[in-house]
Amino acid sequence: MKTGTINVPVHFQYKGYALGEWLSRQRGIERKSGLKPARKEKLELLGIAWDGNQINRSSHHQKFLKMFALLEAYKEKFGDTRVPRVYVMDDCDLGSWVSSIREALRGKGHRKITDEQKKLLAGIGFETDWYQENKDNIWETYFQLVL
């Protein structure tokens, strides 16, 4: 396999095979009843991490760091973190990612933000409520027009 590691996220696919799911099943078998010793040894020779949750957390954090670096580049270019909802940078959907981060910081959505990630965002002056404030301002502007 060309990924450089056997420890891939559960949804990882390789050449059309659900390799991440297969590895997750091997971990489950090992945890419940134990893999056949020869199979366990083969996987261990490749460096399998038996705690799959640790792999998923690491994978999510690496993606966060990649997107955070793009957010920093956006801020350097535009002077703020007010990324439009539809904004692609380096083939990454930065706008959707930033929106999901804002939702998570408000306790909504499926994404979880660690304290370390919150500190990184605060360190660049991430504007958590900008979108909501902008919506409120737009509403007021239109309301004033109908008076």
Side-chain angles (χ1 to χ4, degrees):
M1 185 171 65
K2 302 285 187 233
T3 64
T5 181
I6 190 173
N7 298 310
V8 295
V10 70
H11 299 293
F12 181 79
Q13 298 230 346
Y14 183 71
K15 294 186 177 183
Y17 291 92
L19 186 60
E21 289 179 21
W22 180 81
L23 285 164
S24 180
R25 281 194 307 276
Q26 303 315 299
R27 289 183 182 101
I29 293 168
E30 174 59 23
R31 197 171 38 256
K32 290 177 185 168
S33 59
L35 280 169
K36 293 180 180 178
R39 290 180 178 180
K40 182 176 179 179
E41 184 179 347
K42 284 181 177 183
L43 290 171
E44 286 180 342
L45 285 172
L46 294 176
I48 191 169
W50 291 111
D51 181 0
N53 291 328
Q54 181 180 0
I55 294 157
N56 287 332
R57 283 189 300 272
S58 176
S59 174
H60 290 298
H61 187 65
Q62 290 305 314
K63 180 171 182 178
F64 176 91
L65 292 176
K66 176 183 177 184
M67 297 304 287
F68 179 77
L70 292 175
L71 180 59
E72 285 182 306
Y74 179 94
K75 183 174 182 183
E76 187 173 313
K77 182 175 182 178
F78 295 103
D80 60 47
T81 60
R82 299 174 181 177
V83 182
R85 177 85 170 97
V86 179
Y87 187 85
V88 176
M89 186 177 207
D90 292 348
D91 294 324
C92 295
D93 191 353
L94 184 61
S96 289
W97 182 81
V98 167
S99 292
S100 71
I101 294 296
R102 283 196 177 96
E103 283 181 358
L105 290 169
R106 288 192 308 268
K108 298 180 179 179
H110 68 280
R111 182 179 298 280
K112 304 289 184 234
I113 304 290
T114 67
D115 288 340
E116 177 187 351
Q117 293 168 343
K118 288 177 185 176
K119 286 178 186 173
L120 288 171
L121 291 165
I124 64 166
F126 186 72
E127 299 164 270
T128 307
D129 296 325
W130 166 79
Y131 179 73
Q132 188 60 45
E133 290 171 8
N134 190 44
K135 274 177 50 178
D136 293 344
N137 290 338
I138 291 170
W139 190 91
E140 282 297 328
T141 299
Y142 276 89
F143 180 75
Q144 293 300 317
L145 291 172
V146 297
L147 287 179

